[in-house]
Amino acid sequence: MAKNDLMDRVVNLCKRRGLVFPSSEVYGGFRSTWDYGPLGVLLKRNVKDAWWRSMVQLRDDVVGLDSAILMAPKVWEASGHLATFTDPLVDCRNCKERFRADQLPESGACPNCGVKDSFTEARNFNLMFKTYVGPVEDDASVAYLRPETAQGIFVNFANVQTTTRKKPPFGIAQVGKSFRNEITPGNFVFRTREFEQMEMEFFVPPEDSAQWYEYWCQERYRWYTELGIPEDQLRLRPHEESELSHYSTGTSDVEFMYPWGWGELEGIANRGDFDLSQHSKFSGQDLSYFDQEHDRRYLPHVIEPAAGADRATLAFLLAAYEEEDVDNGKGGTEKRTLLRLHPRLAPIKVAVLPLSKNEQLVPVADEVASLLRAELMIDVDITGSIGKRYRRQDEVGTPLCVTVDFDTLDDRAVTIRDRDTMAQARVPIDGLLAELQGRLS
Ligand code: ATP
């Protein structure tokens, strides 16, 4: 399938099946913002849960945090965002559209109106959204929507360290919304002005930072492959010297082969002691750590894996999308669209389908559904032919379907049908939940 086709088909599927809608659509949309529909909210939540499980639940050296989006403006002075979180911006003198100076085509033609050499000098544009806190709109009440979740972690370093009594090496993880007034949002949910991040700051003794940086690069790459991104669509790209922020001694991006080329999924950076040292300086609070065992005080260095929940969700969708020709049962073939999503990510884990709307079958399907509902996200679908309903479930990545048919009335058994192989197996209702859980894990 041509690459642009793939993007169109995935965007189309997202709209058609309630994964992602254009935001404020009844008003004609609102500049590259998107809403996650009934299936999309499940998918994105599963992505975030999978991240949390791997970063917090399965480890004894990382704890969680949920800090506020609005923070003291001083935070953004200390972090450097007020002074340097900017993109170079140019205006087209002809059509008045604005572009990022570093993303202009080599031809020198305006991407909007095509006029050549029509750009103004580049000037720096701060990407933070500004607002006012309280009833008075003056300089003293200015606040910013956070452009990253990381700073909420740094300013809580001492709170978390003393309350949990964790010793470096340890990390603090956070998932939440961030806002950037991007000049050129686009590529569906890849670049938006409001998005969700999954960030972890790992605090280590200075001499161990290089080793932990390597560790987190490998660990984060592995997370994506384990959840189904093929290795030939994923790479770890170390930044060139010229790309590094002034405080970073190493940064690598985990990149995915999007339909338009390699694009960042996540950045892993060795940030040194930049953040804790800045916040110590600006707040007047000593954020160093006292290592009793070695009788020394130091500012921990930080390794930061910073991922985007929306970009990851898009990558999982693109990697999972497939169309194949299958037997139509009448001697010919038909097209089947499916999302080969990892079961952990699939929005619906199991669909319960009575063979028909028959009044004896539907109550049994309801009984099976209530048996499963407390443990698994399920869907009950009773409309349309059974073949059509299997296709509908394939298309949104449901790994397993359970069919209740007339034999069920006699033998109290149902048929499990597998999304990927389409193989079917007969299983007693009594052992159904355990069987499904086994197949999903
Ligand atoms: P880019 O170079 O693509 O703008 P970045 O290097 O500025 O990204 P970071 O500041 O490292 O991004 O943020 C960490 C992660 O947050 C990114 O890898 C990405 O997954 C996500 N992210 C950043 N900006 C956006 C955005 N505008 N829309 C969606 N996700 C984003």
Side-chain angles (χ1 to χ4, degrees):
M1 189 187 316
K3 290 199 159 169
N4 284 344
D5 264 14
L6 171 64
M7 191 66 181
D8 286 348
R9 284 177 204 201
V10 167
V11 173
N12 191 297
L13 174 71
C14 284
K15 173 85 203 289
R16 189 159 37 86
R17 295 306 311 275
L19 286 142
V20 183
F21 305 123
S23 166
S24 315
E25 200 182 8
V26 293
Y27 289 102
F30 183 63
R31 311 270 272 160
S32 305
T33 46
W34 302 91
D35 297 338
Y36 288 79
L39 292 177
V41 65
L42 294 173
L43 174 62
K44 186 155 86 150
R45 180 174 295 172
N46 291 342
V47 170
K48 292 183 286 182
D49 285 350
W51 184 88
W52 192 266
R53 179 183 141 88
S54 121
M55 300 298 269
V56 181
Q57 187 184 330
L58 296 179
R59 308 185 62 99
D60 62 5
D61 57 357
V62 178
V63 293
L65 180 75
D66 184 9
S67 71
I69 287 173
L70 295 172
M71 303 177 73
K74 202 93 183 156
V75 168
W76 309 113
E77 244 179 88
S79 68
H81 282 84
L82 264 179
T84 61
F85 194 59
T86 55
D87 276 339
L89 173 115
V90 295
D91 294 290
C92 169
R93 290 194 183 89
N94 181 52
C95 70
K96 314 293 179 215
E97 277 289 310
R98 293 184 160 174
F99 302 96
R100 258 173 76 167
D102 56 343
Q103 290 179 349
L104 293 175
E106 274 176 25
S107 67
C110 169
N112 186 47
C113 68
V115 172
K116 275 201 165 184
D117 303 320
S118 58
F119 300 116
T120 57
E121 285 288 302
R123 60 199 161 79
N124 281 335
F125 173 76
N126 197 296
L127 299 184
M128 282 197 293
F129 278 99
K130 211 187 231 185
T131 186
Y132 297 94
V133 171
V136 185
E137 290 193 11
D138 62 10
D139 287 351
S141 61
V142 166
Y144 302 90
L145 301 189
R146 68 179 176 199
E148 61 173 39
T149 64
Q151 297 305 323
I153 298 179
F154 295 127
V155 300
N156 276 294
F157 169 72
N159 281 340
V160 174
Q161 193 277 317
T162 49
T163 51
T164 60
R165 287 176 292 118
K166 291 275 178 207
K167 301 182 172 98
F170 81 97
I172 306 175
Q174 162 152 248
V175 176
K177 287 249 169 151
S178 293
F179 302 83
R180 295 181 188 180
N181 199 1
E182 298 278 2
I183 300 166
T184 39
N187 284 330
F188 197 31
V189 298
F190 179 82
R191 186 180 303 285
T192 52
R193 296 195 172 104
E194 172 179 347
F195 54 95
E196 268 185 286
Q197 290 188 306
M198 310 183 288
E199 296 194 290
M200 197 272 288
E201 308 302 322
F202 200 71
F203 302 91
V204 303
E207 62 278 12
D208 297 341
S209 69
Q211 167 206 329
W212 279 108
Y213 168 67
E214 265 315 308
Y215 168 86
W216 281 111
C217 285
Q218 300 311 321
E219 195 61 15
R220 293 306 306 150
Y221 180 91
R222 197 171 60 83
W223 184 77
Y224 293 97
T225 57
E226 278 185 3
L227 287 171
I229 307 249
E231 297 220 8
D232 61 357
Q233 294 177 38
L234 198 69
R235 72 178 186 190
L236 199 56
R237 186 184 68 84
H239 278 203
E240 308 282 339
E241 198 78 22
S242 60
E243 285 178 274
L244 291 178
S245 350
H246 58 282
Y247 49 80
S248 176
T249 52
T251 299
S252 292
D253 288 343
V254 180
E255 296 186 332
F256 175 69
M257 183 49 113
Y258 289 96
W260 60 90
W262 289 105
E264 176 177 334
L265 264 178
E266 164 160 1
I268 300 121
N270 184 345
R271 302 177 62 97
D273 67 3
F274 176 76
D275 308 279
L276 290 181
S277 130
Q278 286 292 98
H279 287 302
S280 292
K281 213 182 297 168
F282 278 72
S283 68
Q285 309 269 330
D286 180 6
L287 298 177
S288 63
Y289 168 76
F290 182 66
D291 176 358
Q292 274 178 328
E293 204 180 321
H294 301 98
D295 192 25
R296 64 165 185 162
R297 180 170 283 286
Y298 65 87
L299 272 178
H301 283 209
V302 170
I303 312 301
E304 173 192 80
D310 310 86
R311 283 191 193 179
T313 300
L314 177 57
F316 286 125
L317 277 170
L318 288 162
Y321 187 91
E322 215 169 286
E323 287 174 12
E324 59 179 28
D325 292 320
V326 292
D327 187 354
N328 66 1
K330 300 174 202 148
T333 60
E334 64 179 23
K335 227 177 220 15
R336 151 170 118 118
T337 299
L338 76 162
L339 291 179
R340 286 191 198 271
L341 287 170
H342 188 285
R344 192 179 287 293
L345 302 182
I348 305 287
K349 310 300 179 196
V350 177
V352 179
L353 315 172
L355 190 62
S356 71
K357 274 189 193 160
N358 178 285
E359 60 188 22
Q360 282 179 295
L361 296 186
V362 173
V364 183
D366 285 342
E367 179 201 330
V368 170
S370 52
L371 189 79
L372 307 180
R373 193 168 265 131
E375 304 299 326
L376 297 167
M377 191 67 216
I378 63 156
D379 183 25
V380 181
D381 188 1
I382 60 173
T383 53
S385 74
I386 190 73
K388 270 218 181 77
R389 282 180 280 158
Y390 283 149
R391 295 288 176 273
R392 278 210 289 263
Q393 296 298 335
D394 291 342
E395 201 176 48
V396 296
T398 307
L400 300 169
C401 290
V402 168
T403 310
V404 173
D405 58 22
F406 289 100
D407 289 341
T408 310
L409 302 176
D410 299 325
D411 65 2
R412 299 283 298 163
V414 289
T415 302
I416 299 181
R417 182 254 193 197
D418 182 282
R419 173 194 72 199
D420 296 342
T421 61
M422 296 191 283
Q424 307 199 353
R426 197 86 186 151
V427 176
I429 292 176
D430 271 352
L432 180 62
L433 179 60
E435 172 67 23
L436 293 169
Q437 284 173 324
R439 286 176 178 234
L440 290 167
S441 66

